Amino acid sequence: GTLRLLSGKWRLLVLFHLESGSVRWGALKRQLKPITPRMLTATLRSLEDDDLIWRRVENTIPPQVAYGLTEKGAGLAPVFNAMGKWGSENLS
């Protein structure tokens, strides 16, 4: 269900950072310190497997990879925004 899609230490944070538009891998890595490259890649792959995000390889040298929310992922935005609001109000 929905909780499985949003569970995991980094999944919700990645979705939150992609809500405003596409983001390249390096920018996500900087925004999500202290995530390891391996964990970021694994999280992105699992979100892509669940059809919550898309992945685009840009034809540059070196190739750059960008990620963004799919329609399904964007549909979850109200859920993860509500969870974030609740957390900031109740866990601080």
Side-chain angles (χ1 to χ4, degrees):
T2 305
L3 283 179
R4 184 194 67 76
L5 291 175
L6 297 176
S7 67
K9 181 175 182 178
W10 297 103
R11 288 174 66 96
L12 203 57
L13 289 170
V14 168
L15 292 171
F16 177 77
H17 283 288
L18 295 176
E19 185 184 10
S20 59
S22 68
V23 180
R24 292 200 311 240
W25 190 93
L28 273 174
K29 172 77 175 82
R30 285 188 297 280
Q31 293 168 351
L32 295 172
K33 272 188 175 175
I35 194 169
T36 64
R38 182 176 176 184
M39 180 55 69
L40 177 56
T41 298
T43 301
L44 291 167
R45 282 185 184 151
S46 70
L47 289 168
E48 191 177 4
D49 289 345
D50 289 335
D51 193 34
L52 297 178
I53 67 169
W54 51 260
R55 177 183 188 266
R56 180 181 68 234
V57 179
E58 298 172 1
N59 193 15
T60 59
I61 298 176
Q64 295 179 336
V65 181
Y67 297 89
L69 293 180
T70 61
E71 189 174 326
K72 182 178 175 182
L76 278 174
V79 175
F80 58 76
N81 284 326
M83 290 173 71
K85 181 179 180 212
W86 184 91
S88 65
E89 292 171 353
N90 295 284
L91 301 176
S92 17

